[in-house]
């Protein structure tokens, strides 16, 4: 498809390709190439071979971008890691304008961010100057999971959350439906310390690989990921054809919340054991072997039994305590050992919700 997009782009812009077979060498040859990142470098490489752009000027840049049929350049993922690599090699970077803010956080490197390919051609010919983009210093990715001070009652649970936040402890909440387990977990990031500049850069690079970078180009708040219990093993640990990071790595320097933990697949839960110990995860696939950071704080919630009301005589089912034993046995002992705090959460009374002093 890249071939067709580039040919259509050249026709739209009025550039004629030679009437002969064109071979593009993408080294190393044994690595399978996928994605639309290669559109713009192939197009600029063709232009340098045709003498439209100076080859030696183009060699000073790392290039990535997707080309549309009309010559405009679409956004791609992974711009920040590429910009950091360009900085290490003392090179500049040519990228879509939509990704400019993301690249500015890689340091002081030459950045050519264009809306279409003609702007790049005119820049190298001296007919147009592409200005250096400036980073957005104002924080735009606000926290949306609520504030910790909104919680009413649950004094013991709030104390446990504060201890977990202060020490980075993993926490397991056990309680009946409606006791506020999910609400407590969602508000934990609001009392966590802000990301340091180094941590923010690490988190942004991981999110950049999945196209999840905010408008400012930099993730400034701690991640909070809450995958559904139907999430597969590759979705949790990472993988796929490109070995992208999973939920564990996307929670790096943040919170990974597992609601209804016993409902997760047993194999998926056991995959958490090693990352919780070494703070990284190795994604091994046939064509890729990548190690991603995974320094996460695990918060999990579960009901005491399948019916959810074990311990409440007026609501619990007739199968207790066997019901609770079978349900809790879905969590293995080694995984339970990874939780520093295991707290039983009780329902909040109606009068506590009305009391403004709680």
């Amino acid at each position: 498809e890249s071939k067709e997009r580039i040919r259509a782009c050249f026709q739209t812009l009025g550039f004629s390709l030679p009437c002969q077979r064109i071979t593009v060498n993408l080294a190393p040859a044994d690595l399978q190439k996928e994605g639309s990142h290669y559109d713009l470098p192939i197009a600029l490489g063709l232009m340098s071979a045709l003498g439209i752009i100076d080859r030696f000027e183009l060699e000073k840049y790392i290039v990535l971008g997707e080309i549309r049929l009309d010559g405009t350049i679409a956004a791609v993922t992974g711009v920040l890691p590429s910009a950091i690599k360009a900085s290490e090699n003392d090179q500049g970077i040519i990228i879509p304008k939509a990704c400019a803010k993301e690249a500015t956080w890689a340091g002081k490197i030459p950045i050519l961010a264009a809306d279409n390919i003609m702007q790049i051609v005119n820049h190298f010919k001296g007919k147009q100057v592409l200005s250096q983009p400036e980073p957005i210093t104002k924080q735009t990715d606000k926290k949306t999971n609520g504030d910790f001070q909104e919680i009413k009652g649950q004094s013991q649970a709030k104390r446990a959350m504060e201890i977990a936040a202060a020490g980075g402890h993993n926490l397991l909440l056990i309680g009946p439906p409606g006791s506020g387990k999910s609400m407590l977990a969602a508000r934990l990031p609001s009392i966590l310390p802000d990301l340091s500049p180094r941590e923010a850069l690490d988190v942004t690079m991981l999110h950049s690989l999945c196209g999840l970078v905010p408008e400012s180009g930099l993730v400034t708040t701690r991640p909070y990921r809450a995958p559904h219990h139907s999430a597969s093993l590759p979705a949790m640990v990472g993988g796929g054809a490109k070995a992208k990071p999973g939920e564990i790595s996307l929670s790096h320097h943040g919170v990974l919340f597992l609601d209804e933990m016993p409902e997760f697949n047993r194999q998926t839960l056991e995959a958490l054991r090693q990352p919780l110990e070494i703070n990284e995860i190795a994604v091994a696939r046939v064509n890729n072997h990548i190690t991603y950071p995974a320094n996460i704080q695990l918060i999990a919630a579960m009901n005491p039994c399948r019916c959810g009301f074990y311990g409440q005589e007026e609501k619990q089912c007739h199968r207790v305590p066997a019901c609770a034993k079978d349900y809790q046995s879905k969590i293995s002992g080694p995984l339970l050992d990874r939780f520093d705090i295991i707290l039983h959460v009780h329902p909040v009374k109606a009068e506590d919700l009305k009391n403004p002093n709680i």
Side-chain angles (χ1 to χ4, degrees):
E1 293 183 3
S2 181
K3 175 181 66 175
E4 304 302 331
R5 287 195 296 268
I6 293 173
R7 284 190 178 275
C9 170
F10 271 58
Q11 292 176 0
T12 302
L13 299 178
F15 297 121
S16 59
L17 291 172
C19 298
Q20 58 188 30
R21 184 180 181 87
I22 300 174
T23 301
V24 179
N25 181 29
L26 299 177
D30 62 340
L31 180 65
Q32 185 178 2
K33 316 302 188 303
E34 294 181 346
S36 58
H37 301 72
Y38 305 98
D39 289 4
L40 186 57
I42 292 174
L44 295 182
L46 281 172
M47 290 183 176
S48 68
L50 296 173
I52 300 174
I53 295 177
D54 188 346
R55 172 185 174 184
F56 298 100
E57 287 294 323
L58 191 60
E59 288 178 348
K60 299 177 182 178
Y61 294 89
I62 288 179
V63 186
L64 67 161
E66 175 186 339
I67 292 180
R68 296 194 177 103
L69 303 182
D70 59 354
T72 56
I73 307 174
V76 292
T77 60
V79 169
L80 181 58
S82 301
I84 292 176
K85 185 64 177 179
S87 177
E88 294 174 354
N89 295 342
D90 293 327
Q91 292 179 296
I93 188 169
I94 301 176
I95 54 173
K97 192 171 183 179
C99 304
K101 300 304 180 184
E102 181 180 345
T104 56
W105 297 103
K108 294 183 179 180
I109 62 172
I111 300 175
L112 299 183
D115 287 318
N116 57 72
I117 199 168
M118 279 305 300
Q119 293 179 355
I120 300 175
V121 174
N122 292 334
H123 176 85
F124 282 108
K125 286 184 170 294
K127 297 180 180 179
Q128 179 182 359
V129 177
L130 293 174
S131 59
Q132 182 83 1
E134 296 293 333
I136 297 178
T137 56
K138 183 179 179 181
Q139 180 175 330
T140 56
D141 52 327
K142 299 294 184 182
K143 301 175 183 178
T144 58
N145 294 323
D147 199 300
F148 196 76
Q149 65 181 0
E150 298 171 351
I151 302 173
K152 296 289 185 180
Q154 298 290 12
S155 59
Q156 185 181 24
K158 287 191 288 187
R159 177 59 177 164
M161 298 295 287
E162 291 168 355
I163 295 172
H169 301 296
N170 300 322
L171 173 64
L172 173 60
L173 302 172
I174 303 176
S179 57
K181 304 184 297 295
S182 301
M183 180 190 65
L184 286 163
R187 282 153 177 77
L188 177 62
S190 66
I191 59 174
L192 291 175
D194 294 333
L195 289 170
S196 67
R198 179 70 254 182
E199 290 175 340
L201 201 59
D202 291 342
V203 172
T204 305
M205 283 193 289
L206 289 167
H207 283 66
S208 175
L209 295 175
C210 298
L212 301 176
V213 178
E215 181 183 353
S216 63
L218 186 73
V219 178
T220 56
T221 57
R222 293 194 177 271
Y224 175 80
R225 307 289 298 183
H228 191 259
H229 60 75
S230 61
S232 63
L233 179 62
M236 187 68 70
V237 304
K242 300 180 183 179
K244 286 187 176 181
E247 294 292 339
I248 296 176
S249 296
L250 291 175
S251 305
H252 182 54
H253 291 314
V255 175
L256 175 63
F257 176 53
L258 302 183
D259 199 7
E260 306 297 341
M261 187 171 64
E263 301 299 331
F264 280 81
N265 182 276
R266 181 67 174 263
Q267 188 179 11
T268 302
L269 290 178
E270 295 304 311
L272 291 167
R273 288 162 53 178
Q274 186 179 13
L276 290 174
E277 285 292 325
I278 63 176
N279 295 332
E280 64 180 22
I281 184 167
V283 181
R285 296 295 181 266
V286 175
N287 298 322
N288 294 284
H289 190 285
I290 304 175
T291 300
Y292 291 115
N295 185 9
I296 65 173
Q297 183 173 1
L298 178 62
I299 307 296
M302 61 178 288
N303 294 331
C305 63
R306 183 169 295 279
C307 70
F309 297 103
Y310 176 62
Q312 302 182 39
E313 296 183 359
E314 67 279 4
K315 293 184 178 181
Q316 65 184 12
C317 67
H318 65 281
R319 293 186 60 246
V320 295
C323 173
K325 185 177 180 180
D326 293 344
Y327 192 68
Q328 295 179 16
S329 65
K330 293 184 177 182
I331 312 300
S332 67
L335 183 57
L336 283 175
D337 288 341
R338 266 66 174 183
F339 289 99
D340 307 304
I341 303 173
I342 299 179
L343 178 70
H344 289 268
V345 182
H346 303 285
V348 180
K349 298 179 180 179
E351 53 266 24
D352 292 338
L353 296 175
K354 297 179 180 180
N355 190 345
N357 298 321
I358 296 180

